[in-house]
């Protein structure tokens, strides 16, 4: 139950740059069919793109803007995406799991304000409890947050062996100066 989520580091202001202030893991299938192999690759691509830029105090993170565009040039492959309650093949399939896992991290952090987030449709996403997800992919489906801490934060994600783990850390203070 999401009501049981507890911060990894309850006093984020006292955290060092090596200890996560929040962490969350979701799970995915590791079957070797072509669509799932592409989806697993997209999880890795999104995690790599997410780790590029720390978010300074007052800074805004826009999942579609910072992790997209979801196309071949950005390294994404076609995989199954959820569309209007059904499925289709589209570039970046799997990125919603990354945004949803990130969203569950953000829910642990009182110094972060979520300014845009929508769950998937009525059936939700299979990798998290109903409506604890954050759909991304277009102007109306995005995860956007603002860092209200007085220090920068960074996001670190890893997808391996069926587990997608995302952790949020206090970033070095000289970031963005």
């Amino acid at each position: 139950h999401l009501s049981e989520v507890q911060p990894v580091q309850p006093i984020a202001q006292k955290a060092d740059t090596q200890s996560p202030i929040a962490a969350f893991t979701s799970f995915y299938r590791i079957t070797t069919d072509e669509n799932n192999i592409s989806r697993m690759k997209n999880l890795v691509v999104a995690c790599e793109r997410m780790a590029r830029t720390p978010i300074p105090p007052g800074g805004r993170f826009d999942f579609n803007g910072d992790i997209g565009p979801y196309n071949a040039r950005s390294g994404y492959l076609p995989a199954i995406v959820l569309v209007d309650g059904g499925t289709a093949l589209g570039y970046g399939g799997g990125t919603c799991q990354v945004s949803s896992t990130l969203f569950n991290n953000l829910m642990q952090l009182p110094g972060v304000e979520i300014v845009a987030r929508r769950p998937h449709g009525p059936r939700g996403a299979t990798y998290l409890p109903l409506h604890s997800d954050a759909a991304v992919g277009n102007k109306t489906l995005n995860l956007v947050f603002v860092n209200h801490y007085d220090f920068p934060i960074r996001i670190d994600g890893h997808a391996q062996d069926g587990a997608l783990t995302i952790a949020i850390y206090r970033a070095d203070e000289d970031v963005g100066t």
Side-chain angles (χ1 to χ4, degrees), residues 1-176:
H1 297 182
L2 289 179
S3 62
E4 297 172 3
V5 172
Q6 295 293 320
V8 172
Q9 177 58 260
I11 304 173
Q13 285 80 358
K14 294 182 180 180
D16 62 36
T17 60
Q18 302 304 309
S19 301
I21 58 175
F24 193 86
T25 299
S26 63
F27 300 93
Y28 58 91
R29 292 181 312 112
I30 56 172
T31 58
T32 57
D33 57 281
E34 184 178 350
N35 284 334
N36 200 55
I37 289 172
S38 295
R39 186 181 189 284
M40 290 187 296
K41 170 68 173 158
N42 291 342
L43 295 175
V44 171
V45 170
C47 286
E48 289 170 351
R49 293 177 68 87
M50 195 166 42
R52 294 186 303 185
T53 308
I55 301 99
R60 183 180 179 103
F61 180 89
D62 176 317
F63 198 92
N64 287 339
D66 294 328
I67 307 308
Y70 310 112
N71 57 34
R73 191 171 48 221
S74 296
Y76 293 107
L77 300 172
I80 299 297
V81 295
L82 300 176
V83 179
D84 297 327
T87 60
L89 197 61
Y91 279 93
T95 54
C96 286
Q97 184 164 358
V98 177
S99 64
S100 296
T101 306
L102 175 59
F103 170 71
N104 282 273
N105 267 287
L106 300 172
M107 295 300 293
Q108 302 174 54
L109 298 174
V112 170
E113 176 189 6
I114 298 167
V115 296
R117 173 258 174 185
R118 279 189 38 204
H120 288 85
R123 293 189 300 195
T126 60
Y127 43 80
L128 289 171
L130 187 62
H131 300 304
S132 63
D133 58 312
V136 295
N138 62 43
K139 290 181 181 181
T140 61
L141 298 176
N142 197 3
L143 175 64
V144 180
F145 70 88
V146 176
N147 174 16
H148 289 299
Y149 285 114
D150 61 358
F151 54 85
I153 58 175
R154 67 180 172 86
I155 305 166
D156 186 31
H158 296 282
Q160 183 177 349
D161 299 328
L164 170 62
T165 300
I166 295 178
I168 299 177
Y169 295 83
R170 181 181 185 131
D172 290 328
E173 292 292 332
D174 60 352
V175 171

